[in-house]
Structures are given as structure tokens and as C-alpha cells.
């Protein structure tokens, strides 16, 4: 999650090295803000984005700096005469008296609290993250969270798996997914609103033969202006207040909470097909993204590619457009599932139904652990049969055959 938040801020400005002002003089800070207030709107926005991105970069740099604190402490320990140190007391904890004294001096010099427990925890913490860095756990160290830091400080030394080996397991598992998040967020910032970048993931290419023009994980558009107008003009058709939706932000503005769409990914199975999963835990009610397809208002209905809407004749057709969540596993109608499809309406005026747009959201119905398959129940038996075909899976469950 730290990866998404940090890179979202950076992506709005881009990856740059800047000489923007950084000062500890408060009067200079005030002068800078006064100057900023005189900028034109466009100039001010560009500057604010730059400063926000640089602050995110500095936060990452500050965290990553801590990975080399321990060798600096060891340099200090090497300068201490052991004869000047008191004898060791208490149980052996793996640190020499010189290392303990050097840690205390280092903490004092950089302004840390010197409480005995604080010293003990930071000794362990700085040594652990240094050893992690030396062992190659770089991605996890770049995006450390407070929860991870707490885990580092309190990991039991008597654990069956050493701390470094435990983190290296995570690094091996999450490294490619963190890289994908970085790439995905950068792509979004450069205009990839439909999330076409998913098709370029190395493990997706070759397993999914879908043209970019048929991929849209961002929105559900009307099939035609005529059907949209017909829907608006049908007085008998109304939008229930229960269907009114609240738009989620995109991956660039992830703030935590129930929007887990940034963490949904496509993973390969042993049989050469793909499944949809999340790289973070999912809770009941979480928003996972948009189920791709076009909005129809017609008596015509596809038993294989149709998702019925909240009113008669309103349905979603995913025979022409597909997306990330369309690739999820499907159970038989009424079968086991951990998500549902929810129709949400967005309009300027509910009574007049002006500017109505629909979104078919994928919402979690139960807690799901990372890397477990995301599963929905098929709307019809014909739809379940469609999703059982490996050939249909390779073409993203689109209605027409696609040449490789």
C-alpha cells in the first residue's frame, strides 16, 4: 500500500531530480509560500505537484537511509576502548557492549529518545534492515510501513525461520508485484485509463489474446446513444436510490479504506491459463474495480455474455469489451463466490434522470486472502459453460474469435 501511495504522488509530477528549495529556515518557508500564492493557476498546480512528488521521494529516501545506520554504528563501536565500558549484564542478546554504547551515542547524535527499551528496539531494527538490504530485499525496504517496522523490532530471535530469511521469502514473492504496481501507476499517469498495461505484463502476454481496443477496465459505456436516450425517456423505468453509487478514485489517489482496485492482478495457473487475485487481503465490502462491458437497453439479451441490470431491458454485454476482472473464475449460478457484481447509477438529477451513467462494480462478499482466486457466480448456465472453455479464456471471453 505504501508503494501505491508514494508512486501515486510521484507519478503526477514524474520521475525527476530537482533543485527545488529545501530549507530549515522558517522565514524562507514563509517567503516561498507567499511567492507561490502569486503564481497563475497552471503554474501553481505544477509547483504543488512537484513539491508533493518531491516530498514523497524524500520520505522514501529518509526511510531507505536507515538501512545503512547499522554499519555507521559499527564504525563508532570500533572507536570505543572496551576497557572504558562496564561489564555486560543480563541475558546475552547478540550485541557487544561497544555496539550498545555506539547505538546510544548514535541515537543521541541524531535526536532519538534514549530510553532503554527504545535503544534495545532500534539496535535490533537497524541491524535487521541492514542485513535485509545486504541480502537483497530492496523493494520491501523502499516501501516500509509502520506495521512492518514494528514487526522488524519485535521479531523473535528464537523463531524457526530467521528474520532475514522470512523477509527474503516476502521479497521473492512480492518483488514482481511491486514492480507491476510501479509500472501500472506510471502508465495511469500518462493516460492509460483503461488499464491496457495489464496486457503487457510478462506472464500475461501469450496467455491472453485480446486487442487493446477491446480492453476497458475503467468504465462501462453505453452501447449506443439511441439506447441511452430510450432509457432516459422511459418514464416507467426509474433509478432506485439503492442503486446510486459513489465513485471511487483511480489508482493514482489510493487513500486506503475499501478501494482495493489497485491491488487486483492477473496471475498464471499451472495449466497455462490466468486467474484474478489480489496481492493484499480483501475484506467484505471492498471495491475491486469495474466489470468490463457495454451498457445495453434492449429486449435483446445474451445468455452467455449478459449481466441483468436492476430494471427490465437494462443489461451489461461483455461480448465486445473485456477487462481485468472479467478474467476471474466463475462458479455455476448460485455457486460459491467471494464477490458479486453491483450495478451503480451516477446522475446529476435522480428525478429527471439527467446525465445517467451506469457502472458495474465488483464488490467483495467475504474476506479473501492474498493470492486466493477471486470468484463470481455465473448469471446463467450458458455463461458458466462459456467460462469453462480454455479457448474462450485465451480470448478474454469476448464474443468473436480473435486471431493470435
Amino acid at each position: 500500500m505504501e508503494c501505491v501511495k508514494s508512486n501515486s504522488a510521484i507519478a503526477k509530477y514524474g520521475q525527476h531530480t530537482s533543485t527545488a528549495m529545501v530549507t530549515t529556515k522558517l522565514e524562507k518557508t514563509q517567503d516561498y509560500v507567499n511567492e507561490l500564492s502569486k503564481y497563475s493557476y497552471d503554474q501553481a498546480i505544477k509547483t504543488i505537484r512537484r513539491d508533493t512528488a518531491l516530498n514523497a521521494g524524500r520520505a522514501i529516501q529518509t526511510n531507505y537511509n536507515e538501512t545503512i545506520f547499522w554499519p555507521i554504528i559499527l564504525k563508532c563501536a570500533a572507536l570505543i576502548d572496551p576497557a572504558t565500558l562496564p561489564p555486560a549484564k543480563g541475558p546475552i542478546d547478540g550485541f557487544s557492549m561497544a555496539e550498545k554504547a555506539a547505538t546510544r551515542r548514535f541515537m543521541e547524535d541524531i535526536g532519538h529518545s534514549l530510553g532503554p527499551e527504545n535503544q534495545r528496539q532500534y539496535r535490533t531494527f537497524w541491524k535487521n534492515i541492514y542485513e535485509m538490504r545486504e541480502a537483497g530485499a530492496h523493494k520491501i525496504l523502499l516501501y516500509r510501513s509502520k506495521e512492518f517496522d514494528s514487526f522488524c523490532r519485535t521479531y523473535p530471535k528464537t523463531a524457526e525461520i530467521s528474520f532475514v530469511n522470512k523477509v527474503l521469502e516476502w521479497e521473492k514473492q512480492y518483488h514482481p508485484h511491486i514492480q507491476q504496481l510501479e509500472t501500472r501507476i506510471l502508465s495511469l499517469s500518462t493516460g492509460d485509463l483503461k488499464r491496457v498495461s495489464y496486457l503487457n505484463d510478462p506472464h500475461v502476454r501469450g496467455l491472453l489474446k485480446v486487442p487493446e481496443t477491446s480492453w476497458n477496465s475503467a468504465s462501462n459505456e453505453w452501447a449506443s446513444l439511441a439506447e441511452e436516450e430510450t432509457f432516459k425517456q422511459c418514464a416507467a423505468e426509474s433509478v432506485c436510490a439503492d442503486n446510486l453509487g459513489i465513485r471511487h478514485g483511480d489508482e493514482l489517489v489510493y487513500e486506503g479504506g475499501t478501494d482495493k482496485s489497485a491491488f487486483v492482478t492477473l496471475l498464471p495457473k499451472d495449466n497455462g491459463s490466468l486467474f484474478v487475485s489480489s496481492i493484499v487481503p480483501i475484506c467484505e465490502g471492498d471495491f475491486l474495480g469495474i466489470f468490463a462491458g457495454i451498457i445495453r437497453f434492449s429486449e435483446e439479451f445474451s445468455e452467455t455474455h449478459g449481466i441483468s441490470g436492476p430494471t427490465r431491458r437494462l443489461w451489461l454485454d461483455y461480448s465486445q469489451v473485456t477487462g481485468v476482472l472479467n478474467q476471474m473464475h466463475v462458479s455455476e449460478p448460485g455457486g460459491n463466490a467471494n464477490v458479486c457484481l453491483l450495478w451503480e447509477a451516477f446522475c446529476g438529477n435522480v428525478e429527471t434522470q439527467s446525465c445517467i451513467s451506469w457502472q458495474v462494480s465488483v464488490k467483495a462478499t467475504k474476506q479473501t486472502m492474498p493470492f486466493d482466486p477471486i470468484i463470481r457466480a455465473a448469471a446463467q448456465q450458458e455463461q458458466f459453460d462459456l467460462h469453462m472453455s480454455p479457448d474462450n479464456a485465451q480470448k478474454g471471453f469476448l464474443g468473436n474469435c480473435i486471431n493470435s
Side-chain angles (χ1 to χ4, degrees):
M1 293 186 181
E2 294 300 319
C3 172
V4 172
K5 288 188 282 188
S6 298
N7 281 282
S8 294
I10 292 171
K12 290 180 180 178
Y13 177 65
Q15 296 180 336
H16 299 284
T17 299
S18 176
T19 56
M21 187 197 74
V22 178
T23 181
T24 57
K25 295 181 178 180
L26 299 184
E27 63 274 14
K28 291 289 185 181
T29 298
Q30 292 172 315
D31 291 343
Y32 176 74
V33 171
N34 289 336
E35 182 67 23
L36 177 59
S37 69
K38 300 173 184 177
Y39 288 177
S40 67
Y41 177 81
D42 290 341
Q43 188 180 10
I45 290 298
K46 182 178 180 180
T47 303
I48 292 169
R49 284 181 171 177
R50 180 202 66 188
D51 290 352
T52 301
L54 292 176
N55 285 337
R58 289 188 194 107
I60 293 173
Q61 181 69 67
T62 298
N63 268 353
Y64 201 63
N65 286 351
E66 289 188 282
T67 64
I68 49 87
F69 281 5
W70 184 246
I72 294 174
I73 291 170
L74 292 181
K75 292 176 183 179
C76 178
L79 301 175
I80 298 174
D81 181 358
T84 64
L85 298 172
K89 296 180 181 179
I92 297 174
D93 59 4
F95 294 96
S96 69
M97 291 303 294
E99 289 170 346
K100 292 179 180 180
T103 301
R104 188 185 191 285
R105 177 178 173 181
F106 180 81
M107 292 177 69
E108 184 176 16
D109 287 342
I110 65 173
H112 269 289
S113 171
L114 298 178
E117 180 61 19
N118 211 39
Q119 291 184 52
R120 185 191 68 79
Q121 287 196 11
Y122 272 102
R123 276 197 306 271
T124 301
F125 173 61
W126 286 329
K127 183 178 180 181
N128 278 343
I129 62 174
Y130 166 68
E131 291 178 347
M132 286 166 52
R133 179 176 179 269
E134 290 296 291
H138 298 295
K139 286 294 184 184
I140 285 180
L141 286 172
L142 279 174
Y143 303 114
R144 285 169 21 223
S145 64
K146 292 180 180 179
E147 293 78 10
F148 180 80
D149 286 356
S150 177
F151 176 81
C152 291
R153 294 187 185 98
T154 58
Y155 191 81
K157 293 183 178 180
T158 56
E160 185 175 341
I161 301 176
S162 72
F163 174 78
V164 172
N165 286 339
K166 183 69 174 178
V167 174
L168 284 177
E169 288 180 3
W170 293 343
E171 177 78 14
K172 181 179 179 180
Q173 183 177 27
Y174 279 96
H175 184 100
H177 301 295
I178 294 174
Q179 282 189 315
Q180 286 172 13
L181 280 176
E182 293 170 337
T183 301
R184 204 172 294 158
I185 293 167
L186 180 60
S187 297
L188 277 168
S189 71
T190 56
D192 182 27
L193 300 180
K194 295 184 178 181
R195 281 63 166 174
V196 175
S197 59
Y198 278 86
L199 295 175
N200 297 322
D201 286 345
H203 59 263
V204 173
R205 289 197 301 266
L207 297 180
L208 196 58
K209 303 296 185 181
V210 176
E212 292 185 1
T213 53
S214 297
W215 188 269
N216 185 355
S217 292
S219 62
N220 301 119
E221 300 173 359
W222 281 94
S224 68
L225 288 174
E227 290 188 13
E228 181 181 7
E229 288 301 319
T230 301
F231 174 80
K232 292 178 181 179
Q233 293 168 9
C234 286
E237 307 289 350
S238 62
V239 179
C240 175
D242 291 341
N243 292 122
L244 292 179
I246 300 175
R247 290 201 185 278
H248 289 268
D250 61 30
E251 295 176 26
L252 290 177
V253 291
Y254 175 77
E255 297 292 346
T258 62
D259 184 352
K260 300 291 178 63
S261 58
F263 306 105
V264 172
T265 190
L266 291 170
L267 297 175
K269 293 195 296 185
D270 292 338
N271 63 0
S273 61
L274 296 167
F275 71 99
V276 179
S277 186
S278 169
I279 64 173
V280 299
I282 295 172
C283 299
E284 181 179 353
D286 282 349
F287 169 77
L288 304 184
I290 306 300
F291 191 84
I294 56 176
I295 304 298
R296 299 294 310 275
F297 188 64
S298 168
E299 295 289 355
E300 176 188 4
F301 183 79
S302 170
E303 296 293 338
T304 55
H305 292 87
I307 304 293
S308 297
T311 64
R312 193 176 68 85
R313 294 189 289 170
L314 185 68
W315 59 286
L316 182 79
D317 178 5
Y318 64 94
S319 66
Q320 302 174 50
V321 179
T322 191
V324 178
L325 286 162
N326 296 57
Q327 317 312 313
M328 76 176 88
H329 284 182
V330 170
S331 64
E332 293 193 73
N336 291 328
N338 50 25
V339 299
C340 66
L341 304 186
L342 180 66
W343 283 73
E344 296 179 299
F346 302 92
C347 49
N349 189 310
V350 178
E351 294 181 358
T352 62
Q353 298 187 10
S354 63
C355 303
I356 287 181
S357 62
W358 287 96
Q359 174 177 291
V360 181
S361 299
V362 179
K363 297 289 184 74
T365 57
K366 60 179 66 174
Q367 184 174 1
T368 305
M369 297 305 293
F371 305 108
D372 284 351
I374 294 174
I375 306 170
R376 71 175 176 92
Q380 298 85 222
Q381 184 63 40
E382 293 86 347
Q383 195 169 100
F384 173 75
D385 295 339
L386 169 81
H387 282 259
M388 291 301 100
S389 165
D391 290 339
N392 289 331
Q394 190 175 50
K395 63 181 183 178
F397 305 107
L398 291 169
N400 298 321
C401 292
I402 297 170
N403 295 325
S404 301

